[in-house]
Amino acid sequence: MALLLYFVPLLFMNYASASSNCDFPAIFNFGDSNSDTGGFGAAFQPPTRPNGETFFRRPAGRFSDGRLIIDFIAEGLGLTYLHAYLDALRPNFSHGVNFATAASTILPQRNVLPLGGFSPFSLNLQYIQFTRLRNDSHFIFNHDKGGVFDFLLPKKDYYSRALYTFDIGHNDMTAALFANMSISEVGGLIPYMVGNLSATVKSVYNDGGRSFWIQNTDPSGCLPYLLVNLAVPPSQIDSAGCAIPYNNLSQLYNDKLKEAVIQLRRDLPLAAITYVDIYNVKYSLISQAHKYGFEKPLVACCGYGEDEFNYSPQAPCGGTIKANGGEVFVGSCDKPSVRVNWDGVHYTEAANKFVFDQIVNGKFSDPPVSLRMACHRKAN
Ligand SMILES: *[C@@H]1O[C@H](CO)[C@@H](O)[C@H](O)[C@H]1NC(C)=O
Ligand SMILES: *[C@@H]1O[C@H](CO)[C@@H](O)[C@H](O)[C@H]1NC(C)=O
Ligand SMILES: *[C@@H]1O[C@H](CO)[C@@H](O)[C@H](O)[C@H]1NC(C)=O
Ligand SMILES: *[C@@H]1O[C@H](CO)[C@@H](O)[C@H](O)[C@H]1NC(C)=O
Ligand SMILES: *[C@@H]1O[C@H](CO)[C@@H](O)[C@H](O)[C@H]1NC(C)=O
């Protein structure tokens, strides 16, 4: 009888493997501001209003008016929004953890907060935080069963069943551009970025992770903060109004990332790795905004500027600026629901929702599996 019971589930799993939903019990996310749900705010300075106004009705640790792609992913899997690992005030990690912080990079930077501009929590540190969480939750599971943390940490088997999501790399390239490196010098960093990201995926795999969802990087040349701070000559602006050299860099990184994913599939025989093409979804949205019901894709909704981008580094979203003989609050535009860009750097909830709706069914993924099928390994 015992033997029979043991074999039945195995047979069922084989039969079901190609077609059934994955039942991910948790998400572990690694990334930057595109997927930060409160890490930066916990460690440094929380985003202020009007961030969060559309959905949460208050600042909610996100650099957006509402939900991020990772929030829609959590909803899509029937899970609650991820809490940030660094957030001591919301330590409920029962269905996943978010290690992302705004301004994070893959490679460690020298120019980090509080004196510099980038997050010290680069991908290698995010991975160390993950291993600490995993080690400690195993310890607690074995020694403090029924204690309060037993209810706040992922269950032991969640680590192998979870979806591991990655969305990082953008800031490595902008950090180098802001340090006045040439385009080809920045391109020279890409193999190291991709190498370190691959190494992290392998480490998670060696720790038991099996399902990986790797988003490529966005067309950074379409973001107001780069178009203003690192302006390029008109000859290097494309028909959508984006800076060609920066989009070229994003595409170069994405090409190398895709090659690395193919190699990872060879190296990690039990892993299901989904490569998700965010770049092309966002570029379509920006270059054909009207077709999709959006307006002014290159103009910050929450910003203040004399320029065509409504963006100025001296007047960040939520800040104040001296103008017209008084203090002016840098607030939101009238209709964030039809806008693509939120604050010159990040996307609106409406844009994030648009991207999620495009990627959820696998149309922009390699292999073309939907989010709920992302535990199934590609056939070859
Ligand atoms: C933690 O969050 C889960 C949902 O993700 C919820 O079911 C559970 O009650 C929460 N635990 C505590 C102790 O608040
Ligand atoms: C977690 O445990 C592994 C294996 O025992 C160990 O190598 C690693 O250093 C630990 N990591 C942390 C952050 O405690
Ligand atoms: C980069 O170059 C600009 C213009 O030449 C200069 O103002 C700026 O200080 C330089 N930045 C760095 C980090 O060297
Ligand atoms: C990770 O990046 C560092 C540079 O920061 C580089 O020296 C190292 O070779 C990279 N590791 C891999 C596995 O590519
Ligand atoms: C962008 O990349 C294309 C193809 O790799 C190249 O031909 C072109 O010169 C690049 N343009 C700029 C402005 O960097």
Side-chain angles (χ1 to χ4, degrees):
M1 194 60 199
L3 264 181
L4 196 62
L5 278 177
Y6 182 69
F7 279 110
V8 166
L10 276 183
L11 285 171
F12 179 71
M13 272 171 65
N14 283 338
Y15 171 75
S17 65
S19 56
S20 62
N21 284 342
C22 298
D23 192 23
F24 295 115
I27 301 168
F28 297 104
N29 181 63
F30 302 83
D32 56 28
S33 57
N34 284 324
S35 61
D36 180 359
T37 55
F40 184 95
F44 306 108
Q45 194 66 34
T48 53
R49 90 186 171 85
N51 284 291
E53 65 172 14
T54 298
F55 183 77
F56 300 98
R57 308 277 170 211
R58 60 192 287 267
R62 292 152 176 83
F63 292 90
S64 179
D65 59 317
R67 288 164 288 182
L68 310 180
I69 295 171
I70 190 70
D71 293 315
F72 291 112
I73 288 177
E75 283 182 19
L77 295 177
L79 301 173
T80 45
Y81 302 130
L82 295 183
H83 292 189
Y85 174 81
L86 294 169
D87 193 347
L89 302 181
R90 292 173 187 79
N92 186 344
F93 304 130
S94 54
H95 291 284
V97 185
N98 195 350
F99 301 97
T101 62
S104 278
T105 50
I106 297 175
L107 304 178
Q109 306 290 312
R110 292 181 192 284
N111 169 23
V112 293
L113 288 154
L115 299 180
F118 289 87
S119 167
F121 303 107
S122 49
L123 184 60
N124 58 322
L125 287 187
Q126 295 184 20
Y127 173 70
I128 289 173
Q129 294 171 344
F130 165 74
T131 60
R132 173 174 174 255
L133 173 100
R134 195 207 49 191
N135 290 0
D136 272 19
S137 52
H138 284 186
F139 181 86
I140 286 165
F141 184 82
N142 291 328
H143 294 91
D144 190 26
K145 199 149 179 46
V148 59
F149 285 106
D150 192 24
F151 292 105
L152 294 174
L153 292 173
K155 301 281 172 244
K156 200 173 180 177
D157 63 321
Y158 286 10
Y159 291 93
S160 57
R161 294 169 53 210
L163 184 64
Y164 289 85
T165 55
F166 293 81
D167 182 350
I168 193 161
H170 171 100
N171 292 324
D172 292 80
M173 293 183 281
T174 57
L177 291 170
F178 278 109
N180 291 341
M181 280 170 75
S182 70
I183 295 290
S184 70
E185 285 170 332
V186 182
L189 292 175
I190 288 175
Y192 299 106
M193 295 165 56
V194 169
N196 279 256
L197 180 53
S198 280
T200 304
V201 170
K202 284 185 184 171
S203 299
V204 173
Y205 179 87
N206 290 331
D207 297 335
R210 290 295 177 263
S211 302
F212 299 89
W213 176 270
I214 300 178
Q215 294 182 185
N216 73 5
T217 199
D218 64 343
S220 57
C222 304
L223 293 173
Y225 87 114
L226 292 190
L227 290 164
V228 170
N229 289 316
L230 300 170
V232 299
S235 62
Q236 295 184 0
I237 295 288
D238 72 9
S239 58
C242 304
I244 296 168
Y246 308 141
N247 280 353
N248 269 4
L249 269 181
S250 297
Q251 285 177 304
L252 188 61
Y253 171 73
N254 291 341
D255 290 346
K256 297 291 171 204
L257 181 64
K258 191 165 183 182
E259 283 172 20
V261 165
I262 291 166
Q263 185 60 44
L264 282 168
R265 289 198 192 106
R266 292 190 196 113
D267 296 343
L268 311 177
L270 302 176
I273 312 177
T274 309
Y275 171 88
V276 187
D277 183 7
I278 298 291
Y279 182 102
N280 277 304
V281 179
K282 285 186 172 168
Y283 191 77
S284 305
L285 172 60
I286 290 163
S287 57
Q288 303 172 75
H290 290 279
K291 176 175 154 190
Y292 299 116
F294 286 80
E295 293 170 4
K296 304 182 186 170
L298 298 181
V299 182
C301 163
C302 181
Y304 184 93
E306 321 270 87
D307 55 61
E308 64 203 288
F309 307 109
N310 193 39
Y311 172 83
S312 154
Q314 286 77 41
C317 175
T320 54
I321 187 159
K322 288 197 174 35
N324 310 325
E327 294 245 299
V328 177
F329 177 66
V330 182
S332 176
C333 60
D334 284 344
K335 284 198 290 180
S337 62
V338 296
R339 298 292 284 272
V340 174
N341 192 277
W342 169 240
D343 59 1
V345 185
H346 307 104
Y347 294 82
T348 58
E349 168 171 295
N352 291 330
K353 171 88 168 54
F354 174 88
V355 174
F356 175 76
D357 289 343
Q358 295 287 310
I359 63 175
V360 63
N361 289 325
K363 207 165 88 188
F364 290 87
S365 296
D366 173 53
V369 293
S370 69
L371 174 65
R372 281 182 166 272
M373 298 288 208
C375 62
H376 300 302
R377 188 180 158 85
K378 197 179 176 177
N380 49 20

